[in-house]
Structure formats: C-alpha cells, structure tokens
C-alpha cells in the first residue's frame, strides 16, 4: 500500500535527533566551576533526559529554570546550552518557526562558548538544518547539515555518535529531494559507523531510514527486510521511543500488497499513541489509503480524526492537506455542499499561510453545487428558451450577412493602414534599440577605461609600496618584529584584494577570457566569501559562441540584482539559473527576501538600467514580487548572429 503523503511524513518522522556532545571537563574555563554552575548543568541534564523520554513540556520547564540561573551567574556557555534545548523543546511540540527564532537568538552565545565547549557550533548548525527540513526548505537543510559536518572534519568535535546522526540526517534530506542514490549512500555510511560503535538503538533507527529509501525505490523486499531488522532491535532493547516505533509500524504497513494486510500495522501504530503529532500524520495517511482504494466512507472517518487532532495540536500543515482531501472525498461522494465548504476552508487557511491560491478549484465546486440546485428550474424553462433561440437564430442570420459585406470593405482598409503603422513602429523601435545599444556600449567602455586606470595606476603604485615596505623590513631587522609592521602589511594586502575586486566588478576578465557561466560563478564565490548570502548557481547549455554584448548584459543584470538583494531584500538565499538552448538565452534570479511593491519600485534607477540593457538587445525582462514573498527576475534574449546585429545597427 502507498499513501500520497507517505513521503512527507517519512521525512518528518525519521529525521534523527542530534545527540548533544559531551564537553570534556579539562577544556572548560575556571568560571564554569563557580556561582551555581553545577546546578545549571544538573538542570540541563534533566531537561535533556525529559526530551529523550518525549516529555517536551517538563523538559521546557527545566530548561527555562536553567536559563534563568545561567543568566544570573553570567555563564554564557550554559546560556547557549539552555537556549538551544528550549528551542528544541518547541520543535518537539511542533512549533517550528518559534524554535528557529530561538536558535538564531542562541547563535551569539554558541559562538562565544565555542573555544571551550567542544562541538557546540556543529550541534547548532545540525539543529538548524533539522528545523529547515521540517519546514520543507530542503536546500537550506542540506546546507546547514554540511556546515555541521565540516566542523567535525575540521576537528571541532570527535563524537562519533553525533556524526552518525548527522550523516543520517543528510541522507534524509537527499531523500526528500528525491535523490535516492545519495540518500542511500549517506545512510549506509552512518550504518557502517554505528555498527563499529555497537550502538543498537541508533542502528535500529538507521535500519528504519534505509527501509524507507528502499520503499521509495519500489523495492518492497529490501524495505521490509530493514523494517523487520529495526523492529527486532527495538524489541530486544525494550525501547520506549514511541515516536520511532509508531512510524516504523506505519512504514511496515505501507509495503504490504493490500489494504487489508496493511491495516494491522496501522492499528498497532495508532494503539501506541492516538493523540500525538505523529498520530495526526498516520490518520491522514490511512485516510489516503482508503481514498485511493475508493472506500470513501472510511477515508472520511480517518480524515475527520486527523482534522480534529491537527486542530488540537495547531498543525496547520496537516490541517491544510486534510481540508483538501476531505473536499475531494465529498466531491467523489457527490456531496457538493460539504465539498465546497471544505475547499473554502482550505483556501482560507492556505491564504493565511501565504501559500498557493486554489480559487479555480473552489469555482468549479461552486458551479457543480449551484448546477445541482438549479437543474429543476432549467428543465421548466427549456421550452421557452427554445422559442427564443429560434427567433435569435433568424435575426442573427440577417445581421451576419450584412456584417460580412461590411467587414470585407473594412478589412481591406485596415490591412493597408496597419501595414503602414507597423513600418513606422519598426523604424521607431530600431532607432530606440540603436540608442540603447550606444548608451550601453559607452557605459562598458567607460568601465573598461576606469578599470585600466586602476590597474595601470593605483595597482602599480600599491604593488611598489608593498615591495618597498617589505625591503624596509629586510633592511632593518628589528622592524618586522614590531606589531604595527604586520598590521600595515595586512592593510596593504587587504587594499590589494579590494582593488582587484573593484576592477573585476567593473570589467570581469572571465567574460573576455572564458565564458559567461565562469564569470557568474566567480561573482557568486565573491558573495559567498562575504557570508552575507547563501547563493546557488545552475546553468545548462553551451556558451562558447555567445556574442560579447549578450554576455555583458546578462552579467550586469546578475550583478545588479544580487546587489539589490543584499542591500534591500533581507534575504538569506538566492537561486540563479542560466540556460542557452535553441537560440534563446534565459536567466532567472529568485530570492526569499522581503519583496517589494512592483508599482512603486519598478521605476528605480537600478531596475530601469537592467531593463534598458536587455531591451537594447531585443530581449525582455520581467520583475515579479510581493511584499514578504521574495522577488523573481526573468530575462529572455533571442540570440542573433553578428551579421544580423550589424544590419540592425545600420538600419
């Protein structure tokens, strides 16, 4: 059996909780041993124990006490640990956005505690990755998991159990992105390390994860093998992990050949805890199984249970899916009124969460409902409508004959007039494009001149200064030992780097020496080094024979857009996509920032400059944005040969 929402719920359930890293006592500073620090760590240990036993409310209470005591004793390391645990308690309660906010508040304290608290930053990155995964942002999730893994590779922590859970979480993120080969690779690496450590409970969770991957690969035999191995290990250890066992029973049900075979596993999952967040998912998924089998009465029953539990737990994501499926159930049962009501609930909740609008579906259901109400009235008026139609047909025939004669005369006149207008418009457009091309070419020539002046003038003088300053250090042996000597040399190097960056922004050498994707990738690397923005670049097609003016125009759009995002958007990530295929050069830039009002902002100098560059080459650029929903820039250019471009300029 397969549920439509299995894939989402699988990711929700199998994401391993990251294991807190033990802090060696010898690496703690002396301040950690005074002013009530032992009480703070005792409270933190108890809070962690309550989280492991699924007592989120009790764990939250203990962590808040620990935070108050840590603040009173000015113990920043303990403040960091307590704030992270509080954030994770809210994650356990399903309040993901609040949990994410608290994790970001804890970041400065984690950075402060990092020198004497082994693994704190790796732990912080991993928990942030887990939250982004639960929120559905898998690109950010994978990014933060790899950041955590980099801390482990760089020696920030040597805790192998932590590495096992982190590798498994990376595998789960790739599974959500439907790259099952990478998902299996990372889960297998985690399995090998867990076997070396002899950690039975972690291995049980990993077997469940691997079984899920095989299930998604439609390999039910291997999936059931790993699910049964996971269950056997849980039973041997008499595990109390209700959440993991509950999802495992559900997963075993999904690989059964029929719904009848699957229901015993589903019922065992619900028997463990029918009031948890996970139970809401299972009710929903069982309802989906009945829906797929055409048993709509049972589907309604389980969807109703999921609806009630989702409302009680405040699970808006679950509730949104349940509303949509109940509307589909009632529509298949020909109960259009409740179908319309649930679809309306879906749209209202969807709008409140700023997700996709479903007005078209509501209108269809509304038409069906209203049609069923008016069928009787339409039948009674059928005879009268038939008489009216005969009269309309006779009148329309006469009018149509007269119209055709008039239209023939008018069409001939309009054809000649439109041909003349098209010729005038074409000449005006060509003149406008010529002016824009001249302006753009002048700007690029001025940029090149300024870059040459910087390179041949200031850059040479700066290099000479560095050489003379270095020679001065060799001439006076004691000078290099002075602190200010190294500071000045560092400033000179920094000046050189900034100067090269400015020259590259003015005239990117890779556009001349190599290709457009190389130049854009180099620009993205500069942005990534600044740590201001997570930026991803993808491209398709061949760019070797692309005319230079198209390369410069597209590059300037990328440059201006990214600078606008950094300056105005408050975004955390950007996706840039470039494609050259069948004579079309396409560029898209999407961010998750604040957005802007298109009517008020599209007249700015930066946006006008981008539009002018693209239109001068006969292309078009479209800006799409709404407040608090990010911004999208779309560019399309039809690539013409140099001969065609020259002919256009001559005209």
């Amino acid at each position: 059996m397969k549920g439509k929402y299995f894939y989402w719920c699988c990711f929700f359930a199998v994401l391993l909780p990251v294991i807190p890293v033990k802090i060696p006592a010898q690496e703690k500073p002396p301040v950690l041993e005074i002013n009530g620090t032992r009480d703070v760590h005792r409270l933190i240990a108890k809070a962690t124990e309550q989280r492991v036993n699924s007592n989120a409310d009790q764990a939250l209470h203990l962590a808040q006490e620990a935070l108050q005591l840590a603040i009173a004793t000015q113990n920043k390391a303990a403040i960091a640990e307590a704030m992270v645990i509080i954030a994770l308690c809210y994650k356990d309660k399903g309040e993901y956005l609040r949990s994410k906010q608290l994790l970001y508040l804890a970041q400065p304290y984690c950075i402060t505690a990092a020198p004497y608290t082994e693994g704190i930053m790796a732990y912080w990155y991993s928990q942030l990755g887990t939250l982004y995964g639960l929120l559905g942002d898998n690109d950010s999730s994978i990014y933060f998991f790899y950041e955590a893994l980099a801390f482990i590779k760089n020696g920030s922590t040597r805790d192998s159990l932590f590495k096992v859970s982190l590798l498994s979480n990376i595998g789960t993120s790739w599974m959500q992105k439907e790259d099952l080969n990478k998902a299996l690779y990372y889960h297998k690496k985690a399995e090998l390390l867990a076997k070396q450590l002899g950690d039975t409970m972690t291995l049980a969770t990993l077997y469940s994860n691997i079984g899920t991957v095989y299930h998604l690969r439609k390999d039910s035999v291997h999936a059931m093998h790993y699910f049964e191995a996971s269950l056997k290990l849980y039973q041997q250890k008499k595990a109390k992990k209700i959440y993991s066992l509950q999802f495992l029973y559900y997963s075993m049900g999904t690989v059964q050949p029929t719904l009848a075979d699957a229901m015993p596993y589903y019922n065992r999952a619900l028997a463990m805890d029918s009031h948890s967040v996970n139970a809401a998912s299972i009710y929903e998924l069982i309802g989906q199984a009945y829906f797929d089998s055409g048993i709509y009465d049972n589907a309604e029953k389980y969807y109703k249970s999921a609806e009630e539990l989702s409302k009680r737990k405040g699970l808006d994501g679950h509730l949104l899916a349940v509303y949509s499926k109940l509307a589909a159930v009632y529509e298949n049962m020909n109960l259009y009124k409740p179908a319309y009501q649930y679809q309306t609930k879906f749209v209202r909740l969807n709008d409140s969460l700023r997700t996709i609008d479903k007005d078209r579906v509501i209108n269809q259901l509304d038409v069906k409902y209203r049609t069923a109400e008016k069928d009787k009235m339409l039948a009674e008026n059928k005879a009268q409508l038939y008489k009216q139609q005969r009269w309309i047909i006779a009148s329309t025939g006469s009018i149509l004959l007269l119209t055709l004669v008039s239209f023939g005369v008018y069409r001939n006149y309009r054809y000649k007039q439109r041909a003349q207008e098209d010729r005038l418009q074409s000449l005006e457009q060509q003149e406008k494009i010529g002016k824009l091309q001249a302006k753009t070419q002048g700007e690029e020539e001025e940029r090149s001149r300024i870059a040459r002046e910087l390179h041949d003038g200031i850059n040479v003088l700066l290099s000479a200064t560095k050489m003379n300053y270095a020679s001065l250090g060799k001439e006076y042996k004691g000078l290099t030992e002075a602190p200010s000597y190294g500071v000045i040399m560092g400033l000179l190097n920094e000046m050189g780097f900034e100067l090269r960056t400015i020259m590259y922004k003015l005239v990117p050498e890779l556009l001349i020496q190599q290709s457009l994707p190389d130049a854009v990738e180099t620009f993205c690397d500069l942005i990534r080094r600044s740590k201001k923005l997570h930026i991803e670049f993808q491209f398709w097609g061949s760019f070797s024979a692309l005319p230079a003016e198209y390369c410069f125009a597209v590059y300037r759009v990328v440059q201006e857009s990214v600078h606008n995002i950094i300056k105005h958007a408050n975004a955390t990530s950007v996706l840039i996509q470039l494609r050259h295929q069948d004579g079309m050069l396409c560029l898209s830039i999407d961010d998750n920032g604040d957005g802007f009002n298109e009517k008020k902002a599209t007249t700015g100098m930066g946006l006008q400059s981008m539009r002018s560059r693209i239109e001068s080459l006969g292309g078009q650029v479209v800006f799409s944005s709404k407040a608090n929903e990010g911004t999208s820039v779309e560019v399309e250019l039809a690539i013409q040969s140099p001969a065609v471009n020259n002919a256009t300029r001559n005209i």
Side-chain angles (χ1 to χ4, degrees):
M1 292 300 302
K2 297 178 182 177
K4 185 174 182 181
Y5 295 101
F6 169 82
Y7 193 51
W8 175 85
C9 188
C10 165
F11 180 84
F12 179 85
V14 303
L15 206 63
L16 287 173
V18 180
I19 304 167
V21 181
K22 298 180 180 179
I23 307 168
Q26 64 272 19
E27 295 189 12
K28 299 178 182 178
V31 70
L32 295 180
E33 298 299 326
I34 60 174
N35 296 331
T37 297
R38 292 181 180 177
D39 293 335
V40 172
H41 286 297
R42 189 181 71 254
L43 288 169
I44 290 175
K46 288 184 177 180
T48 302
E49 181 181 355
Q50 292 298 322
R51 276 198 67 235
V52 172
N53 293 328
S54 302
N55 297 324
D57 292 329
Q58 184 63 26
L60 180 61
H61 176 72
L62 291 169
Q64 289 171 339
E65 285 188 20
L67 179 60
Q68 292 176 358
L69 185 57
I71 293 173
T73 57
Q74 298 182 352
N75 188 334
K76 293 184 178 180
I79 291 173
E81 292 183 66
M83 289 184 71
V84 170
I85 293 177
I86 291 172
L88 299 184
C89 289
Y90 281 110
K91 183 199 74 174
D92 296 339
K93 290 160 67 69
E95 299 182 35
Y96 302 139
L97 291 176
R98 188 171 185 180
S99 178
K100 186 178 75 170
Q101 292 171 351
L102 289 170
L103 274 179
Y104 276 113
L105 287 175
Q107 183 185 19
Y109 296 99
C110 292
I111 293 173
T112 302
Y116 45 85
T117 307
E118 183 185 8
I120 188 69
M121 287 308 299
Y123 184 53
W124 182 85
Y125 275 118
S126 65
Q127 294 299 345
L128 198 59
T130 300
L131 271 173
Y132 274 109
L134 294 171
L135 288 167
D137 187 349
N138 294 295
D139 290 331
S140 297
S141 177
I142 291 176
Y143 169 77
F144 285 113
F145 282 146
Y146 278 123
E147 287 289 318
L149 194 61
F151 270 89
I152 295 176
K153 290 181 178 179
N154 292 334
S156 296
T157 178
R158 300 180 184 276
D159 195 311
S160 298
L161 287 176
F162 177 83
K163 187 173 182 180
V164 169
S165 61
L166 190 56
L167 288 170
S168 181
N169 282 346
I170 293 174
T172 300
S173 297
W174 281 116
M175 179 169 59
Q176 178 67 7
K177 287 177 69 65
E178 301 183 10
D179 194 332
L180 301 181
N181 290 331
K182 287 184 179 179
L184 190 60
Y185 169 77
Y186 280 102
H187 281 315
K188 285 289 189 178
K189 286 188 67 175
E191 177 193 8
L192 181 61
L193 186 54
K195 285 182 177 179
Q196 294 174 355
L197 296 171
D199 190 313
T200 303
M201 296 305 297
T202 300
L203 197 59
T205 307
L206 283 169
Y207 283 155
S208 177
N209 291 4
I210 295 171
T212 300
V213 177
Y214 277 116
H215 175 74
L216 294 174
R217 295 176 70 171
K218 305 185 186 304
D219 187 346
S220 299
V221 175
H222 281 88
M224 196 62 184
H225 168 75
Y226 276 99
F227 287 148
E228 290 175 344
S230 175
L231 181 60
K232 182 178 180 180
L233 291 177
Y234 278 133
Q235 291 173 341
Q236 287 177 356
K237 291 293 183 178
K238 297 181 180 180
K240 298 181 180 180
K241 289 187 175 182
I242 295 176
Y243 186 88
S244 299
L245 276 170
Q246 191 177 40
F247 184 75
L248 180 59
Y249 280 125
Y250 172 77
S251 299
M252 295 174 78
T254 60
V255 299
Q256 302 306 312
T258 66
L259 182 59
D261 294 326
M263 282 307 300
Y265 292 100
Y266 295 159
N267 290 331
R268 292 189 69 177
L270 290 174
M272 300 188 69
D273 186 354
S274 61
H275 302 288
S276 66
V277 173
N278 203 31
S281 299
I282 295 176
Y283 279 128
E284 178 186 345
L285 295 164
I286 296 175
Q288 179 66 43
Y290 276 117
F291 180 85
D292 292 340
S293 300
I295 309 174
Y296 300 121
D297 291 337
N298 287 351
E300 178 192 13
K301 171 186 172 183
Y302 281 98
Y303 279 136
K304 282 285 190 179
S305 298
E307 177 189 12
E308 179 183 354
L309 189 54
S310 297
K311 286 180 178 178
R312 194 186 316 153
K313 296 291 185 179
L315 304 174
D316 290 339
H318 282 287
L319 200 57
L320 191 67
V322 170
Y323 283 159
S324 176
K325 296 312 299 182
L326 277 170
V329 167
Y330 287 125
E331 184 180 7
N332 279 277
M333 296 171 72
N334 296 323
L335 300 174
Y336 296 118
K337 186 172 183 178
Y340 172 76
Q341 291 172 344
Y342 270 101
Q343 192 62 43
T344 302
K345 289 181 180 181
F346 170 81
V347 171
R348 288 174 180 172
L349 180 59
N350 203 23
D351 288 342
S352 70
L353 298 174
R354 295 192 296 272
T355 53
I356 302 173
D357 189 12
K358 297 293 183 182
D359 286 340
R360 182 179 62 82
V361 180
I362 290 182
N363 290 335
Q364 292 175 350
L365 289 173
D366 187 36
V367 169
K368 290 181 181 180
Y369 173 62
R370 292 179 185 274
T371 301
E373 291 281 329
K374 296 179 180 178
D375 277 344
K376 183 177 180 180
M377 183 178 65
L378 291 174
E380 294 173 354
N381 296 331
K382 185 176 180 180
Q384 184 179 356
L385 289 173
Y386 178 71
K387 293 180 181 179
Q388 293 176 351
Q389 287 172 355
R390 290 183 63 184
W391 182 86
I392 291 173
I393 290 171
S395 301
T396 302
S398 301
I399 295 172
L400 182 60
L401 181 61
L402 180 62
T403 302
L404 287 173
V405 174
S406 302
F407 179 73
V409 177
Y410 176 74
R411 182 181 180 185
N412 185 50
Y413 168 75
R414 282 295 300 160
Y415 177 78
K416 294 180 179 179
Q417 187 181 31
R418 189 172 298 168
Q420 182 65 21
E421 290 174 354
D422 288 343
R423 282 195 294 270
L424 291 174
Q425 186 177 2
S426 177
L427 290 173
E428 291 175 358
Q429 184 68 18
Q430 289 169 0
E431 183 180 0
K432 181 180 178 181
I433 291 174
K435 290 179 179 179
L436 289 174
Q437 288 176 336
K439 179 183 176 182
T440 302
Q441 183 178 359
E443 289 177 355
E444 294 298 341
E445 289 176 354
E446 181 63 14
R447 288 174 180 265
S448 299
R449 186 191 65 79
I450 294 172
R452 285 196 302 271
E453 291 293 336
L454 290 174
H455 181 272
D456 297 339
I458 297 176
N459 188 44
V460 172
L461 290 174
L462 182 60
S463 298
T465 302
K466 287 173 60 179
M467 291 174 60
N468 289 328
Y469 189 67
S471 298
L472 189 63
K474 295 178 181 180
E475 184 176 351
Y476 297 96
K477 300 299 184 180
L479 184 60
T480 57
E481 298 177 0
S484 58
Y485 181 86
V487 172
I488 294 171
M489 181 60 75
L491 289 173
L492 290 173
N493 289 332
E494 182 68 19
M495 288 169 63
F497 175 78
E498 290 295 333
L499 184 60
R500 288 192 298 273
T501 301
I502 292 171
M503 289 189 293
Y504 180 81
K505 289 180 179 179
L506 287 170
V507 181
E509 295 178 1
L510 285 177
L511 281 178
I512 301 172
Q513 298 174 358
Q514 296 183 28
S515 67
L516 176 59
D518 293 328
V520 175
E521 182 63 40
T522 302
F523 174 72
C524 292
D525 285 339
L526 289 173
I527 299 301
R528 294 188 191 106
R529 291 176 195 166
S530 66
K531 303 292 185 181
K532 294 180 179 178
L533 196 63
H534 172 59
I535 185 166
E536 182 177 351
F537 173 53
Q538 302 171 352
F539 66 92
W540 299 269
S542 174
F543 298 83
S544 58
L546 205 61
E549 58 267 28
Y550 291 92
C551 294
F552 276 107
V554 170
Y555 179 82
R556 294 304 181 197
V557 171
V558 172
Q559 194 177 46
E560 181 68 26
S561 297
V562 173
H563 287 166
N564 285 343
I565 291 168
I566 294 173
K567 187 176 180 181
H568 303 291
N570 293 321
T572 58
S573 65
V574 176
L575 174 63
I576 300 174
Q577 295 179 310
L578 183 64
R579 185 178 73 254
H580 181 210
Q581 186 177 6
D582 299 330
M584 289 297 297
L585 180 60
C586 302
L587 169 71
S588 68
I589 304 172
D590 300 280
D591 68 71
N592 64 347
D594 296 338
F596 58 82
N597 188 319
E598 294 183 47
K599 295 182 179 179
K600 296 181 179 179
T602 52
T603 57
M605 182 178 294
L607 301 185
Q608 288 288 3
S609 175
M610 285 189 274
R611 182 176 283 110
S612 297
R613 287 181 181 276
I614 298 304
E615 290 180 352
S616 71
L617 296 173
Q620 61 178 358
V621 57
V622 178
F623 303 100
S624 303
S625 182
K626 290 184 180 179
N628 301 318
E629 293 187 11
T631 301
S632 175
V633 180
E634 303 285 342
V635 174
E636 286 189 357
L637 280 167
I639 305 301
Q640 299 180 1
S641 65
V644 174
N645 286 336
N646 292 333
T648 302
R649 295 191 187 98
N650 292 334
I651 292 174

